[in-house]
Each structure stands twice: as C-alpha cells, then as structure tokens.
Amino acid sequence: QVQLVESGGGLVQAGGSLRLSCTASTDIFSITDMAWYRQVPGKARELVASITSDRSTKYKDSVEDRFTISRDDPKRSIFLQMNSLKPEDTAVYYCNLKYETNYRWYEYWGQGTQVTVSS
C-alpha cells in the first residue's frame, strides 16, 4: 500500500503564490507517473498537472502559464508551484500516483490539501 502525504495548501490573496508538496511511501517512486488533481464541492475532480517517470509534463489549459509541476525522485516527492493564483483556483488539491507492473495498473490518492484564493 502506497501512502501519499500532501502539504503546502493554505489561504492566499489573488495574485499570490503557493507551493504544494507530495511525498510518497514507496521504493518504486522513480517509475511512477504522478499528478495533481483538484476538486470543488459539487464538481468532478479535474486534472491540473501531470509528470511522468521520464519527466514529460501536461497541464490544464487554464493553469499552463502559471503552474509548474516537478519531481525529486530521491526524495520521492512531487511539487506544484502555483503563481498568479486566482479565486477560481480555490479547491482541494489531491496528489495522484500511478504505476504499472506485470501489465496491471495501480493508482493511489492523497487525502488532499485545501487551497483558498481570496479576491
């Protein structure tokens, strides 16, 4: 069982910055694909940014110029640097880990960290 622990959420004014961190309890971190999702009440969880084991990244269109996802494999961690935050970025942000072994995919979620952007 893999555990993901997020940190770095909080309250920030519009235009400000936050850096989210997620640390995984697994020895196979270097082969995992990682991502950040977010969810607001009443809406589906949505992908914000992802980074594969070979460091290929993808972003939701509305955050591509403001957010940066990165990973530090020795520290088994990923990060989401969020700049120029907007009130519509307010959500619970979840760390996601996926990996494939023996033709089977495994997926794990963190418990989430609240990000609130005030106008």
Side-chain angles (χ1 to χ4, degrees), residues 14 18 25 33 40 47-48 52 57 73 77 91 100 106:
L18 284 174
S25 64
D33 294 339
V40 298
L47 177 65
V48 176
T52 63
T57 59
D73 288 353
S77 296
E100 181 269 334
Y106 296 83

Side-chain angles (χ1 to χ4, degrees), residues 1 9 18 20 34 86 91 101 112 118:
Q1 188 75 3
L18 284 174
L20 304 184
M34 302 294 298
K86 304 176 180 181
T101 183
S118 63

Side-chain angles (χ1 to χ4, degrees), residues 21-113:
S21 300
C22 171
T23 301
S25 64
T26 174
D27 292 331
I28 60 167
F29 184 82
S30 63
I31 68 167
T32 64
D33 294 339
M34 302 294 298
W36 289 99
Y37 285 74
R38 68 186 183 189
Q39 188 171 25
V40 298
K43 292 191 175 182
R45 194 170 294 187
E46 63 178 10
L47 177 65
V48 176
S50 63
I51 184 165
T52 63
S53 57
D54 61 0
R55 287 172 165 71
S56 176
T57 59
K58 291 184 179 179
Y59 295 91
K60 178 180 174 62
D61 287 347
S62 62
V63 310
E64 188 162 13
D65 295 332
R66 302 182 293 120
F67 292 7
T68 302
I69 189 170
S70 60
R71 63 189 294 157
D72 184 335
D73 288 353
K75 294 184 178 179
R76 304 175 185 176
S77 296
I78 63 166
F79 309 95
L80 186 67
Q81 178 66 44
M82 305 186 293
N83 300 327
S84 303
L85 282 161
K86 304 176 180 181
E88 51 263 42
D89 295 319
T90 296
V92 178
Y93 284 70
Y94 296 91
C95 180
N96 175 269
L97 179 152
K98 297 186 187 71
Y99 71 93
E100 181 269 334
T101 183
N102 296 325
Y103 306 103
R104 180 179 175 182
W105 279 93
Y106 296 83
E107 182 175 33
Y108 298 92
W109 294 91
Q111 292 189 329
T113 185

